[in-house]
Amino acid sequence: MSASRSAPLLAVVAASALLAACQRDAAPPAPAAAAAAAKPASTPAATDPAALQRAVETLMAQQYGDAFDAAQRCWKFHAKVEGGVDDDYCMRAGAPQLVDLRGQPRLYLAAHNLADAQGYVYGHVSSGLMGAFVLGPDGRGGWTLLAGDKQIPAGSSGYCSCDDAQLVRIGADTMAWKFASGGTGQGITVSRYHLIAPIGGRIRDLSALPRIAEDEQDSEYGFAIDDSDAGKPFFPLRVSKRTQQPDGKSAQTEQVVEFDPVRQVYALPGAK
C-alpha cells in the first residue's frame, strides 16, 4: 500500500482510538446527582391525623410561644393590637381543615381564646381574639405557613364569637371563616359579620356587613353566598334584612352585594 493511500486510513484509526479513550476516561455520574435526578421534585404533605396534629402543634408554638397550659389545653399569650386590645389570652386551636383549591392542597386552621379560661378576667370593652392561618405543602412531606394572623380582635367581654366560625368558599380560589360578633351595652346591641380570608399573602376581614346596626335595633341582617358562577374570583352575596313591625309582623327585603376589589370588602351600598 502506498503512503498516499494509507494516510487517510491511519487518520481514521487514530480518531477511533482517541474517542474510545475519552469514553473510558469519562467519569460516571455522581451518586448525588443521579439520586437527585431519580427523586421527585417535591413530596406531598402528609395528611394523616397524626401528621396534621403535629403541624397544628408546631404552628401554635411558633405563633404563641411555648407557654402551653396543659390543664386548659391552650397557649398563654399577651396581645397588643392596634385598636385597643391589650390583654392576656389563652389560645386554643380548632380542628384543621383540608381544602383542595383547583388541585392545590391547603390546610386551614383557626384558633380562638377561651373567654372563660381560669385565671383570665375580661371587662366589657375587652375584645376576644382569633387566630387564622393557611398552610401549604413544604415539599418535604410537611406544611409551611402561607398566610396568618395570630391576633384578630373581635367581639366583647373577652369573647370573639369565633369558636364556631364556619369555613366557607367565597370565590373560586378563596375560602373564608364566617362568623358574627358584637355585644350589648346600655340596652343597645351592635353586631357585625366577619369573613376572614387570605388575600395576597395576608389575612384580611372582607366583611363590613352589619348583623344588627346601632340605629336599626328592630332589624337583623343575614346573607347567603351565591356560588352559581363557580369560576368568579369572588361570589356575590344575597343580603337580606328582616325588620320587626309595630304590629308584630316582619318585613323582609333582599339585595345583591358584590365584592369591592378596591376596598377589598363586602359592604352595603353607601356604607363608609
Side-chain angles (χ1 to χ4, degrees):
M1 181 181 297
S2 67
S4 60
R5 296 180 57 187
S6 63
L9 178 61
L10 291 174
V12 170
V13 172
S16 299
L18 179 61
L19 176 62
C22 291
Q23 289 176 336
R24 288 194 304 269
D25 294 341
K39 186 179 179 180
S42 61
T43 303
T47 57
D48 60 280
L52 295 184
Q53 183 60 31
R54 288 194 299 270
V56 168
E57 292 176 357
T58 298
L59 176 69
M60 292 295 288
Q62 290 172 345
Q63 296 294 315
Y64 298 109
D66 296 326
F68 180 68
D69 185 332
Q72 301 189 85
R73 296 185 299 111
C74 55
W75 275 261
K76 300 177 182 179
F77 176 67
H78 182 78
K80 281 189 175 183
V81 182
E82 183 179 354
V85 176
D86 188 354
D87 278 305
D88 292 319
Y89 295 91
C90 212
M91 304 296 295
R92 177 178 291 176
Q97 295 178 266
L98 276 172
V99 176
D100 184 282
L101 292 180
R102 299 191 184 189
Q104 297 296 321
R106 294 292 181 262
L107 184 63
Y108 288 77
L109 176 69
H112 64 277
N113 76 293
L114 302 184
D116 57 353
Q118 187 175 6
Y120 298 81
V121 179
Y122 304 103
H124 176 72
V125 297
S126 296
S127 298
L129 210 63
M130 178 186 188
F133 310 98
V134 182
L135 298 90
D138 64 4
R140 302 183 300 275
W143 296 91
T144 187
L145 184 65
L146 301 179
D149 192 332
K150 63 183 177 182
Q151 46 187 36
I152 303 170
S156 62
S157 301
Y159 180 50
C160 69
S161 300
C162 59
D163 51 338
D164 59 353
Q166 179 185 7
L167 188 65
V168 296
R169 189 182 296 268
I170 61 169
D173 297 312
T174 305
M175 306 293 294
W177 285 279
K178 171 190 173 184
F179 65 100
S181 74
T184 301
Q186 298 181 344
I188 301 296
T189 297
V190 177
S191 179
R192 58 167 296 229
Y193 288 104
H194 301 266
L195 287 169
I196 307 297
I199 299 293
R202 295 181 57 193
I203 297 294
R204 299 179 62 93
D205 190 345
L206 306 185
S207 171
L209 298 173
R211 183 169 178 259
I212 300 176
E214 183 176 0
D215 57 352
E216 295 181 292
Q217 291 295 289
D218 294 327
S219 298
E220 183 173 353
Y221 289 85
F223 70 86
I225 301 169
D226 182 358
D227 60 357
S228 55
D229 185 351
K232 293 192 69 170
F234 291 95
F235 303 144
L237 305 180
R238 297 196 306 273
V239 179
S240 61
K241 178 183 178 182
R242 178 174 295 177
T243 302
Q244 192 73 21
Q245 304 290 342
D247 60 5
K249 297 180 180 180
S250 62
Q252 182 164 315
T253 60
E254 184 176 285
Q255 60 183 311
V256 175
V257 174
E258 298 280 358
F259 181 72
D260 185 335
V262 177
R263 297 172 57 196
Q264 295 193 326
V265 72
Y266 290 98
L268 295 175
K272 296 181 180 180

